[in-house]
Amino acid sequence: MAFAFNSSLNTPKSKLPLEVWAGVECTVNRVGEEYFDQLERNGHATRLDDLDLFAQLGIHAIRYPILWERIAPNGLENADWSWADERLGGLRELGICPIVGLVHHGSGPRDTSLVDPEFPEKLAVFARAVAKRYPWITHYTPVNEPLTTARFSGMYGHWYPHGQDDLTFARALLGECKAIALSMQAIREVVPKALLVQTEDLAKIYSTPKLAYQAEFENDRRWLSFDLLCGRVNPTHPMWGYLRYCGINEVELEVFLQNPCLPDILGINHYLTSDRFLDENLENYPPCTHGGNGRDKYADVEAVRVCADGLAGPRTLLKETWERYKLPIAVTEVHLSCTREEQLRWLNEVWNAAQELRDRGADVLAVTAWALLGSYDWNSLVTRSAGYYESGVFDLRSPRPRQTAIAKMVRDLATGHKPNHPLLETPGWWHREERLLYPAVSCLASPPPPPLSSSSASLRPLAIVGATGTLGKAFGRLCEVRGISYCLLRRQDMDIANPASVNKVLAELQPWAVVNAAGYVRVDDAEREPDICLKENTEGPAILAAACAQHNVGLLTFSSDLVFDGAESNPYVETDTVAPLNVYGCSKVLAEKLVLQAHPASLVIRTSAFFGPWDDYNFVTIALRQLAAGNPFVAAEDAIVSPTYVPDLVHASLDLLIDGENGLWHLANKSAVAWADLARLAAKKAGVSVKSLISLPTQELGLVATRPAYSVLGSDRGELMPHLDCAISRYLEERS
């Protein structure tokens, strides 16, 4: 069946600055008979006031879901428009242009699928209904990433209809592209000037010389959805023969030649992990990467992990797109699953690439901060519901979506200000040597220039006080991994109880922030030497806070669960009344007060019961060592705590510091466990006998300082830490 519609209205290159758009991860995909709905997972389905948070970012447009599966799962006659009415009305009042998506990695309601011959017409009927109800909407993405969706649904079998062959892939892709064309035809019958914003993930493939033919094939295929819509797939096109081989007849292909549906804006989505490298040397890679094409066997790995020269990068990808189509371009997804500073670096790099290309004459309109609310379970390609969360512009692990450092960057970009976070001076991990997990090979004929960054001598470091302690060492180790310039300070380098010493070091180092990981930690000894404990835990942090305030430097310092008396039976939150039972706890309570008085922007983190893989003297390590040797190990059976895995603590603390958070925060792995039960749990996971474990009441342990019977930490500000069970598993992996 042929289709026809108004030709595209190519938007002229804007004289306005590069715009900032945003988007909500809104996938509703089907696996078997189950639908996975990101809007339900991220809570946006029920939070109308999210729109006000989005507007505060200063964004011009938002990719927004009015999804077929959600609005009309039981037919258009039973459609429920109330959610869409409220949300789209809200966006209109806020002056944000919605780019409406109708299918986002989905396959439609249960009565259809991507390979249903009637799928295109059915979607077009829904599209017309949307346009008639909201005739003021001008931008549409009827089907998001059709090529990617066809691969996952028709070639790899991840999503419904779970095909694993070329024909199902081809049928799905052509069905989606026809659905886009028919939908735009239907929409334009109502809104003649409606624009098609067509998105696609344009992964690039690299290979060894032997597999160059496969890489060339896949690099031709990556343009296929755009080429079909633009009417480029003719008998001389590299993919014509492939599609014919798949089982697509010429009539089906000629429909696109005769009725092109040129996108008004090409939406480019690019993820670091999408670029792949193909290598026949299987011995260099784990078995899970092995595959083939029927002619050769090869490993298929992330290119960033093997290409010695790095990747072509977003600038090259955008340049290729512009030169191929000469159509307006927007980067429609910018997201990275990683630590906060790397998310900032990636957004900054893509923005700079888009700006540079625009300055050279390409019609690049916008860059989209993707996953405003983060996303769920994309580490398993949304094939299961495991609760794996990646935060985005906002972090949903707080009672209300919490702005991250990315939000400030988005606001800066939207208002024409250059982002100036000091951590942007370091290249992202994808440019650093530690990215290489396999034997390095040369992938590029002409390596791209290195990203702009300052020399290491000019980097403002993170100053870490407590160079010899467990926590200070952990901060240094993980700052190294995260590409955060740091300086470990010993007492002889800077005495935080000496104002002159503190001011001298801050003036010389000019750090962007200070982490105070030092302090008096001997809880029982503090009862005998309270003056020393107060000097190290209270006076020193107060002096440090005053100096940081004077130098306009951020401060992160630590407190303890021992500020509470244990009278409660529910986890303590940040606003609960403190009532310490010992000198150590008193020193921490007073420190919290003085630090926040002197420097209200300080971040004070209460935590509890450290254990970690990099020291030999924490409770879990000692317990496993003694139990494995068959030696008696004594632990309290009635003191309930929330143990804290040091790497988790450091990562979460750094993220909060980078986000600019302040005040009191509780960070501990989610749990409530007695010390003796903690030893049992660790031993069970490690396969160690607990026959020599001796459980005693706390009062029989001969401790000098009184401890609370219950000091479990919860939070009213955000549950950022993984569960204890997961933490112990990772502890054992790291120790092995």
Side-chain angles (χ1 to χ4, degrees):
M1 174 182 174
F3 48 86
F5 41 85
N6 295 337
S7 59
S8 292
L9 301 169
N10 289 343
T11 52
K13 181 176 178 180
S14 173
K15 300 300 182 183
L16 298 173
L18 187 65
E19 290 188 351
V20 180
W21 297 351
V24 179
E25 168 53 40
C26 56
T27 295
V28 177
N29 66 305
R30 183 177 175 184
V31 177
E33 293 304 310
E34 185 176 3
Y35 280 88
F36 293 97
D37 188 336
Q38 291 278 330
L39 294 172
E40 295 294 336
R41 300 291 303 282
N42 63 33
H44 184 61
T46 56
R47 280 195 314 268
L48 180 62
D49 56 0
D50 283 354
L51 301 184
D52 294 320
L53 296 178
F54 301 162
Q56 292 167 15
L57 299 172
I59 57 175
H60 294 78
I62 185 169
R63 295 184 60 198
Y64 204 73
I66 306 299
L67 300 182
W68 189 15
E69 293 95 333
R70 288 180 53 85
I71 302 296
N74 300 309
L76 197 55
E77 64 279 7
N78 298 309
D80 182 354
W81 297 99
S82 57
W83 188 90
D85 289 347
E86 197 170 33
R87 267 67 181 178
L88 290 176
L91 290 173
R92 192 179 191 185
E93 289 179 8
L94 292 166
I96 300 174
C97 172
I99 303 169
V100 167
L102 306 181
V103 172
H104 197 100
H105 291 316
S107 53
R110 293 188 185 276
D111 67 345
T112 188
S113 81
L114 297 180
V115 294
D116 176 2
E118 297 181 1
F119 176 86
E121 286 78 7
K122 290 178 178 178
L123 180 59
V125 170
F126 177 70
R128 178 181 284 103
V130 174
K132 289 180 69 174
R133 194 171 187 91
Y134 312 107
W136 55 273
I137 291 176
T138 55
H139 291 64
Y140 283 87
T141 302
V143 178
N144 173 64
E145 293 187 1
L147 181 69
T148 300
T149 303
R151 285 167 47 225
F152 286 12
S153 301
M155 184 175 289
Y156 308 145
H158 298 319
W159 302 337
Y160 192 83
H162 304 292
Q164 298 186 57
D165 58 89
D166 288 321
L167 179 57
T168 306
F169 159 76
R171 286 266 175 242
L173 177 61
L174 265 66
E176 290 174 294
C177 289
K178 185 176 179 181
I180 292 165
L182 289 180
S183 293
M184 290 309 300
Q185 174 181 326
I187 290 167
R188 286 169 174 155
E189 288 171 358
V190 180
V191 185
K193 294 187 178 182
L195 303 180
L196 170 59
V197 182
Q198 187 52 57
T199 59
E200 195 59 85
D201 180 352
L202 292 182
K204 192 157 187 172
I205 310 301
Y206 305 84
S207 75
T208 60
K210 179 180 179 180
L211 294 168
Y213 73 94
Q214 182 65 28
E216 181 181 4
F217 167 79
E218 296 192 30
N219 282 323
D220 285 334
R221 189 178 62 189
R222 68 187 174 129
W223 303 108
L224 191 46
S225 56
F226 288 163
D227 281 357
L228 283 166
L229 291 170
C230 291
R232 291 182 169 217
V233 182
N234 58 29
T236 64
H237 190 281
M239 289 290 104
W240 179 277
Y242 166 69
L243 292 171
R244 294 286 289 114
Y245 163 81
C246 292
I248 304 299
N249 63 54
E250 291 187 6
V251 173
E252 294 174 275
L253 296 176
E254 287 171 353
V255 166
F256 291 93
L257 279 171
Q258 296 163 6
N259 302 280
C261 179
L262 274 70
D264 299 284
I265 300 171
L266 295 173
I268 307 304
N269 302 342
H270 181 57
Y271 291 84
L272 281 168
T273 54
S274 296
D275 289 344
R276 313 298 296 180
F277 180 75
L278 312 179
D279 190 343
E280 71 275 9
N281 298 296
L282 298 177
E283 66 277 6
N284 292 332
Y285 309 96
C288 62
T289 68
H290 296 181
N293 57 13
R295 171 177 163 184
D296 287 303
K297 293 182 178 180
Y298 51 81
D300 181 338
V301 298
E302 296 172 1
V304 70
R305 299 300 188 181
V306 69
C307 291
D309 303 322
L311 304 179
R315 180 188 172 280
T316 297
L317 184 64
L318 291 173
K319 182 172 180 286
E320 289 177 349
T321 305
W322 170 249
E323 291 177 347
R324 185 179 181 96
Y325 298 104
K326 296 295 184 180
L327 292 172
I329 298 171
V331 181
T332 39
E333 291 183 18
V334 180
H335 175 70
L336 197 57
S337 174
C338 56
T339 55
R340 188 76 74 242
E341 71 284 349
E342 301 288 30
Q343 291 180 314
L344 294 173
R345 291 164 182 161
W346 180 237
L347 176 56
N348 192 55
E349 182 170 328
V350 175
W351 177 270
N352 289 339
Q355 187 66 64
E356 179 187 351
L357 202 60
R358 179 185 172 89
D359 292 343
R360 295 189 177 193
D363 197 357
V364 184
L365 303 176
V367 171
T368 305
W370 185 245
L372 283 173
L373 301 172
S375 60
Y376 286 88
D377 292 319
W378 268 100
N379 65 326
S380 61
L381 300 178
V382 203
T383 56
R384 55 195 176 94
S385 181
Y388 179 84
Y389 177 66
E390 306 168 25
S391 62
V393 180
F394 297 89
D395 191 328
L396 296 181
R397 294 171 295 180
S398 292
R400 187 170 182 262
R402 180 181 66 83
Q403 290 191 8
T404 68
I406 309 171
K408 181 181 185 303
M409 176 178 274
V410 170
R411 279 195 302 273
D412 285 343
L413 295 174
T415 53
H417 294 93
K418 184 177 177 62
N420 62 356
H421 199 290
L423 293 180
L424 294 176
E425 296 177 348
T426 301
W429 66 261
W430 53 97
H431 293 294
R432 303 197 301 267
E433 287 299 313
E434 57 264 32
R435 76 183 190 280
L436 298 171
L437 300 182
Y438 310 113
V441 299
S442 180
C443 296
L444 301 176
S446 55
L452 296 175
S453 63
S454 303
S455 67
S456 59
S458 69
L459 294 178
R460 294 179 62 194
L462 177 67
I464 303 169
V465 181
T468 60
T470 295
L471 192 55
K473 289 179 179 177
F475 267 97
R477 179 189 288 260
L478 293 178
C479 281
E480 191 76 32
V481 170
R482 292 174 62 155
I484 298 175
S485 177
Y486 66 96
C487 182
L488 281 172
L489 299 171
R490 300 163 298 173
R491 188 188 300 254
Q492 53 264 46
D493 299 319
M494 182 173 77
D495 181 357
I496 64 171
N498 182 333
S501 173
V502 174
N503 280 298
K504 179 176 182 293
V505 173
L506 292 183
E508 291 176 353
L509 274 184
Q510 297 186 18
W512 63 273
V514 175
V515 173
N516 178 27
Y520 191 102
V521 297
R522 302 185 306 278
V523 177
D524 290 315
D525 289 347
E527 300 296 312
R528 294 185 285 265
E529 43 190 32
D531 292 343
I532 298 175
C533 177
L534 285 171
K535 181 178 180 180
E536 294 189 20
N537 281 357
T538 306
E539 294 175 24
I543 290 169
L544 181 60
C548 286
Q550 180 181 346
H551 289 265
N552 195 27
V553 170
L555 174 63
L556 163 61
T557 192
F558 290 88
S559 186
S560 168
D561 60 331
L562 296 184
V563 301
F564 299 111
D565 62 8
E568 298 294 325
S569 57
N570 293 313
Y572 286 97
V573 297
E574 292 84 356
T575 54
D576 283 335
T577 303
V578 294
L581 301 177
N582 53 49
V583 170
Y584 177 85
C586 288
S587 74
K588 290 296 187 180
V589 167
L590 187 54
E592 293 174 359
K593 179 181 178 181
L594 295 178
V595 164
L596 292 173
Q597 281 180 347
H599 192 11
S602 298
L603 175 60
V604 180
I605 291 177
R606 291 178 183 146
T607 188
S608 168
F610 287 176
F611 72 101
W614 305 315
D615 74 281
D616 292 329
Y617 302 103
N618 63 78
F619 177 88
V620 172
T621 300
I622 295 172
L624 291 179
R625 185 166 60 238
Q626 294 297 317
L627 294 173
N631 298 328
F633 182 76
V634 179
E637 64 184 8
D638 55 352
I640 310 300
V641 295
S642 47
T644 305
Y645 185 49
V646 170
D648 287 345
L649 173 65
V650 172
H651 281 306
S653 299
L654 285 171
D655 284 350
L656 288 175
L657 182 63
I658 294 167
D659 286 343
E661 288 291 342
N662 57 48
L664 286 167
W665 272 80
H666 286 183
L667 291 182
N669 290 100
K670 286 179 264 190
S671 66
V673 63
W675 287 104
D677 290 333
L678 174 60
R680 290 188 182 94
L681 177 60
K684 180 180 179 181
K685 282 186 168 291
V688 171
S689 171
V690 294
K691 289 182 179 179
S692 58
L693 175 65
I694 301 171
S695 302
L696 294 176
T698 302
Q699 64 183 18
E700 296 183 21
L701 298 182
L703 301 174
V704 176
T706 304
R707 265 76 162 182
Y710 182 93
S711 61
V712 174
L713 296 178
S715 179
D716 275 344
R717 300 193 69 180
E719 296 281 359
L720 306 186
M721 302 277 277
H723 194 276
L724 175 63
D725 193 68
C726 171
I728 291 177
S729 296
R730 286 180 285 113
Y731 160 84
L732 293 172
E733 291 174 6
E734 185 72 27
R735 292 284 295 189
S736 62

